[in-house]
Amino acid sequence: MNLILKKDQLNHQLNAWRQDYEVHAPQSLENYTHFLPLQDEFELALDKAHNTRIPPKALFLPTSEALLKFTRVGGYEQVPTETAPRLIFGIRPCDAHAMTMLDTVFEQERYTDPHWQARHDATLLVGLGCHEPCQTGFCTTVGSGPFNHAGLDAILTDLGEIFLVETLTEKGERLFSQLETATEEQSTQASELQQAAAASMPIAFEKEGLKEKLDQNFDSPYWEEVSRSCLGCGVCTFLCPTCFCFDIVDEAQRGERVRNWDTCMFRTYSLEASGHNPRPSRVERTRQRLSHKYTYWVDQINQIGCTGCGRCVRYCPVGLDIRAMLRKAQQLPSEVAHV
Amino acid sequence: MPDLDALKAEAKRLLDEGVIEMVIGFKAGDTPLHPQPAFFKTSEEIDQLVYNALCQNNLATYLTRFPKTQKIGMLVRGCENRSVNALVFEGQHPRENLYLIGIPCEGIIDWRKIIEQAGEEVISVIEQSDNTVLVESKSGYFTLEKDTLLHESCARCIHPNPISADIVIGELLPEGDPALAREQVAAFANLSLQERYAWFRQEAERCIRCYACREACPMCYCEECFVDHVSPRWTESGTTPAGMQGWHIVRAFHQTGRCTSCGACERACPMDIKMTYLTEKLNEDMRQKYNFEAGMDTKTPPPFSTITLDDKSRFIV
Ligand code: SF4
Ligand code: SF4
Ligand code: SF4
Ligand code: SF4
C-alpha cells in the first residue's frame, strides 16, 4: 500500500518509533555518515551521502564481538545476543539487498548463526530509495536498482515535501498504519521518478558471460595486472556490504572467545599453521575477492555477490575500481587453450 | 606543477636507454578523485603517466616489493625521496639501483576536503593556474582555493623538495616553516593528560583495523606486523578499546626516527582517523632531542637504531 509521510512529520514519526524500537539512522560522524541510534536530540544526514561509510552489516555482524567467556580454571558461558527490537531507517536499497545475500550465509538450513539470526529477527528495515543515484554505484548493472525492494519492510521515495511510503511486509504495514493513503497522482509521480532514476544509471560492465570469463581465466596474467598497485588492505572488503568473513580468536587474558572481521585481502587470512600460504600474494587474494563475488556466489546461490554499492570504488586508497577490472575481464579470451 | 612532458621525456629516456627497468609513477584513475599508482615498463606505456595534486600515495611503499637487483625509477616528491632514503639506510634497496625523478611538491589535495565542499558526487577536478581547483559535482561547479584543500601533512611540510633525486623536474620551492609542524604537535602535546587521552581514544575508537594505514606506509614493510603475530599476541586482536589503542600506539612508536611525515597513512584511512599527531610528536622529539630528521640522507642511523657503549640507558648494554 502507498502512504504519505510528510517530511515535517518525519522527526515526530521517528520519535514515536523510539517508544518501541531502538531507531538507527544515518547521522554525521567526521566527514562521513554512520548508522547511529537516535538520541533525544538528533540530526539526520540523509542527504549528505547515499551510503554510510560502514555498511549496515556491522549492526548484525559487529567488527568484534565476544561469543563466549571462559576462565582459566575451566568452564565457560555463552554471551547472550542483545535482541531489543530495532528499526533501521534510511538504509539504501543496495545495502538492504546485501542483507538478503548474507542471510543465505548466516541462516542456512543446517548452520544458522544464532547471533545473526537473533539480530535479524529483531530488526525492521525501512529503506530510502535513491532518486538521484550515486556516481560510483552500479546497482542496476548487477540486477538490483535504486528502488529495489529486496530485504526491506518498507521503502521511501523522496517527492520533495513528502515521502511516498511503500510498505512491503506485514511488519512494514504495521509500522506506518497511522499514515494517510497516497493519491493515485502521487503514486504515479513516484513510479515515474523511480524509473527515471534507474534509467539514468549507466551500465558499468557487461554482466553476460562474465562468470565464464573469470572461471576460464583463473591462471591469466590479468590477475597480476589488476592487482599490481593493490595495497592488500581491508578497505574494499570491510566496507563491502556483502563481505562477511570473520576470524575467531581466544583472547586468553580476558577470557573471551571473540569473533573479528577478517578479509581475504590479508596475508594472514589464508596463512596455514605450517607456514604455507595457498594465496601467497596480492594477485591470488585479488582473484579471490573478485571471483568470490562474481563466480563463487553465482555457483552457490545463482546471484552475483555484489550489490553495486560502490564503496570499494570510492574508498580504495589506490583508486582500484572493480567496474574497470570487470570491464577488462570481459576482454579476456573465452576459451583458454589447454595443453 | 612540474611540466608533465618533461617528466615523460625523462622517464622515456631512462627506459629507452636501459638505465632502469621500470618507472613507478601514477596513471589516470577510473574515478575523478583517485589517480592510481602505476608501473611503467616501456616508453610507450609512459604516455599514460599523469601527475597532479590528487596523487595521494607515497610511491616508496612499493619499493620493498621488488628484488633488490632490479633497477627502478621512481617519481619522488620531498617526502617520497626521504622515505626512499630511509629505506636505503635500512637495506631495503641499494641506492645505485634506483633512479629518482624528483618533483618539488606543492602539496597533495585531500579528497575529503573536496567532498566536504562540493558534495560526495564529484564528476571532475581540474587544477587551474591561479592556485584554484575547479570541481564539478552533482551539486554544481565549485572554484576552491587549493591551499584550503591540502592534506594537513602537506600544509605543514618542512621539506617539499626532493633532496637527493638524480634529476629534479620543476623549480625548487622555498622550505617550509618548522614552526607550523611544531604548532600541530603543541595543539596535542599541550593538552592535559586527560584531554590527550580523550583525543587519542576518540580517534582510535573509530578504527576498523583494516590496516590501510600500515599498507600505505613505506616504512611498514615488516613481513609479519606485530598485530599479526599470534604466539605470543602483542595486542588484543579486535576492535576493543585495548585492541585499537594498542595498534595505534605501537604502530606510531615503530615509526620513531623513521617516519618522514608524508601523511600517506592518514590519507589511506577509510574512517578519516587522524594519526599523524602521534608520529609528528615523535618526529618533533627526534628533532629536539637528537637533532635528527628521518631520511635526510642514506647514512645517518636513526637514534633508536643505534647502540653505543656509552648509551645513557644502562639496560641496553
Ligand atoms: S581497498 Fe584497494 S588497495 Fe586495499 S585491498 Fe582493496 S583493492 Fe587493494
Ligand atoms: S564489491 Fe564493491 S560495489 Fe560490490 S557490494 Fe562490495 S563494496 Fe559494494
Ligand atoms: S606497525 Fe610495526 S610491526 Fe607493523 S608493519 Fe609497521 S613497523 Fe612493522
Ligand atoms: S587505516 Fe584507519 S581504520 Fe584502517 S587500521 Fe588504520 S587507522 Fe584503523
Side-chain angles (χ1 to χ4, degrees):
Chain A
M1 200 180 352
N2 293 354
L3 306 159
I4 290 304
L5 174 60
K6 297 201 177 79
K7 277 195 185 167
D8 55 13
Q9 291 297 305
L10 176 60
N11 283 7
H12 177 75
Q13 176 68 72
L14 290 166
N15 275 321
W17 284 330
R18 281 181 60 216
Q19 308 299 317
D20 303 317
Y21 301 94
E22 190 180 282
V23 181
H24 295 251
Q27 294 166 67
S28 278
L29 189 63
E30 297 303 307
N31 208 2
Y32 51 88
T33 62
H34 194 64
F35 278 103
L36 291 167
L38 297 184
Q39 309 295 331
D40 289 339
E41 296 285 321
F42 61 81
E43 200 176 324
L44 297 184
L46 295 175
D47 295 328
K48 181 168 169 173
H50 288 81
N51 276 316
T52 51
R53 190 74 59 92
I54 300 267
K57 73 174 177 188
L59 291 168
F60 301 85
L61 179 72
T63 50
S64 291
E65 71 178 316
L67 300 176
L68 51 88
K69 290 184 191 293
F70 54 82
T71 57
R72 269 163 194 271
V73 289
Y76 67 88
E77 60 185 50
Q78 233 163 317
V79 178
T81 316
E82 79 289 359
T83 49
R86 298 187 301 183
L87 191 158
I88 299 184
F89 179 85
I91 184 173
R92 299 287 176 164
C94 51
D95 282 350
H97 184 199
M99 293 301 298
T100 65
M101 293 184 195
L102 292 176
D103 282 346
T104 69
V105 176
F106 290 107
E107 298 194 21
Q108 296 176 22
E109 233 167 83
R110 279 169 61 206
Y111 308 103
T112 296
D113 185 296
H115 302 269
W116 177 278
Q117 192 181 32
R119 291 186 182 118
H120 198 188
D121 288 350
T123 309
L124 288 175
L125 298 181
V126 175
L128 175 61
C130 308
H131 61 292
E132 282 175 357
C134 63
Q135 288 283 107
T136 46
F138 48 97
C139 50
T140 54
T141 303
V142 289
S144 168
F147 286 88
N148 195 291
H149 293 172
L152 291 170
D153 293 295
I155 186 166
L156 272 52
T157 304
D158 188 338
L159 294 181
E161 306 280 292
I162 55 165
F163 288 115
L164 181 113
V165 182
E166 294 168 70
T167 54
L168 305 166
T169 62
E170 247 173 67
K171 283 183 188 167
E173 224 162 275
R174 277 203 296 277
L175 211 49
F176 290 99
S177 58
Q178 310 296 324
L179 298 182
E180 55 183 278
T181 319
T183 63
E184 200 156 313
E185 209 180 9
Q186 286 165 326
S187 294
T188 317
Q189 192 194 349
S191 85
E192 278 169 10
L193 196 128
Q194 294 170 1
Q195 280 160 23
S200 75
M201 295 184 79
I203 293 301
F205 48 82
E206 177 53 55
K207 193 171 57 166
E208 202 56 45
L210 185 57
K211 172 182 162 46
E212 291 70 26
K213 282 279 166 74
L214 293 172
D215 281 343
Q216 289 164 357
N217 287 279
F218 191 79
D219 292 318
S220 165
Y222 161 82
W223 296 110
E224 193 278 326
E225 275 166 42
V226 293
S227 64
R228 215 173 273 162
S229 61
C230 170
L231 296 175
C233 66
V235 174
C236 54
T237 45
F238 281 4
L239 299 195
C240 173
T242 69
C243 277
F244 55 82
C245 283
F246 54 80
D247 184 26
I248 292 181
V249 179
D250 283 345
E251 289 293 354
Q253 275 182 340
R254 286 200 303 150
E256 274 181 6
R257 174 161 295 178
V258 296
R259 146 157 97 176
N260 303 318
W261 282 5
D262 197 3
T263 158
C264 58
M265 297 310 284
F266 285 167
R267 179 190 68 97
T268 47
Y269 179 90
S270 47
L271 181 66
E272 294 169 7
S274 66
H276 173 67
N277 196 334
R279 293 186 203 130
S281 76
R282 293 173 186 86
V283 178
E284 296 81 12
R285 294 173 213 146
T286 299
R287 179 174 66 197
Q288 168 62 24
R289 174 168 83 89
L290 259 68
S291 301
H292 189 191
K293 299 199 180 299
Y294 280 86
T295 101
Y296 311 150
W297 276 95
V298 180
D299 288 334
Q300 287 159 348
I301 63 163
N302 201 21
Q303 268 191 64
I304 289 173
C306 160
T307 67
C309 77
R311 284 187 183 83
C312 57
V313 177
R314 231 175 244 271
Y315 303 116
C316 170
V318 295
L320 285 172
D321 182 337
I322 194 169
R323 300 169 301 180
M325 288 155 118
L326 294 168
R327 280 196 292 270
K328 207 167 181 183
Q330 281 289 21
Q331 308 299 316
L332 293 169
S334 287
E335 286 299 326
V336 180
H338 289 283
V339 201
Chain B
M1 271 305 113
D3 178 2
L4 188 59
D5 291 330
L7 272 181
K8 286 184 178 171
E10 177 63 2
K12 284 190 181 193
R13 181 188 72 80
L14 294 167
L15 287 165
D16 286 341
E17 292 177 7
V19 180
I20 49 171
E21 298 153 53
M22 172 177 68
V23 174
I24 309 183
F26 290 93
K27 64 177 182 189
D30 299 296
T31 52
L33 294 175
H34 294 296
Q36 294 175 8
F39 308 84
F40 305 100
K41 294 212 167 121
T42 63
S43 64
E44 289 77 59
E45 288 171 2
I46 291 293
D47 290 330
Q48 295 173 30
L49 182 100
V50 301
Y51 178 76
N52 58 49
L54 285 166
C55 295
Q56 69 160 356
N57 310 99
N58 183 330
L59 295 175
T61 197
Y62 294 108
L63 193 58
T64 42
R65 292 192 190 180
F66 298 99
K68 291 180 185 149
T69 47
Q70 192 164 348
K71 291 200 183 296
I72 298 174
M74 192 190 284
L75 301 193
V76 292
R77 293 160 282 200
C79 55
E80 269 151 338
N81 192 158
R82 279 174 281 126
S83 302
V84 170
N85 284 353
L87 288 167
V88 169
F89 171 80
E90 294 184 6
Q92 295 306 308
H93 213 90
R95 182 63 180 87
E96 58 274 21
N97 287 347
L98 293 170
Y99 192 98
L100 305 180
I101 308 170
I103 302 174
C105 176
E106 290 164 19
I108 295 170
I109 289 177
D110 188 352
W111 58 269
R112 295 167 184 82
K113 296 193 177 171
I114 293 186
I115 62 170
E116 224 171 80
Q117 299 190 52
E120 289 259 321
E121 306 306 329
V122 174
I123 295 163
S124 71
V125 179
I126 301 167
E127 283 177 68
Q128 306 186 118
S129 52
D130 59 349
N131 219 20
T132 61
V133 178
L134 178 66
V135 180
E136 183 190 354
S137 79
K138 283 215 171 163
S139 326
Y141 286 90
F142 299 81
T143 303
L144 308 175
E145 297 291 325
K146 186 173 163 196
D147 289 345
T148 65
L149 301 174
L150 292 183
H151 186 260
E152 265 97 43
S153 294
C154 302
R156 58 171 184 257
C157 173
I158 305 177
H159 308 296
N161 296 312
I163 47 172
S164 58
D166 295 284
I167 183 173
V168 172
I169 307 228
E171 295 284 314
L172 291 183
L173 297 162
E175 286 276 283
D177 182 356
L180 282 177
R182 278 200 294 273
E183 250 171 50
Q184 188 232 5
V185 171
F188 175 67
N190 292 347
L191 299 174
S192 71
L193 179 63
Q194 285 79 4
E195 289 167 325
R196 282 204 302 276
Y197 183 57
W199 175 328
F200 172 58
R201 212 178 39 200
Q202 201 196 336
E203 293 302 318
E205 78 183 2
R206 301 199 307 279
C207 180
I208 54 172
R209 299 190 74 164
C210 70
Y211 303 133
C213 49
R214 173 183 80 185
E215 302 304 329
C217 172
M219 304 315 292
C220 271
Y221 56 80
C222 295
E223 186 118 334
E224 184 174 76
C225 179
F226 76 98
V227 282
D228 293 335
H229 197 73
V230 284
S231 182
R233 265 194 189 283
W234 301 117
T235 175
E236 270 187 24
S237 61
T239 52
T240 52
M244 294 187 285
Q245 293 175 20
W247 158 239
H248 277 256
I249 269 289
V250 179
R251 186 196 74 88
F253 273 80
H254 282 183
Q255 302 305 336
T256 318
R258 304 172 66 235
C259 166
T260 57
S261 302
C262 70
C265 50
E266 231 171 61
R267 288 191 296 276
C269 177
M271 302 312 296
D272 300 359
I273 293 173
K274 298 215 176 356
M275 39 200 129
T276 55
Y277 66 95
L278 285 175
T279 41
E280 284 306 312
K281 170 76 174 88
L282 294 164
N283 289 348
E284 181 61 16
D285 285 353
M286 284 285 130
R287 283 193 286 270
Q288 296 294 326
K289 295 190 178 21
Y290 301 94
N291 194 23
F292 179 83
E293 280 184 285
M296 295 305 280
D297 61 54
T298 58
K299 298 273 163 15
T300 316
F304 286 6
S305 305
T306 56
I307 299 171
T308 55
L309 285 174
D310 55 356
D311 201 293
K312 274 190 280 181
S313 299
R314 293 309 303 164
F315 78 94
I316 290 178
V317 281

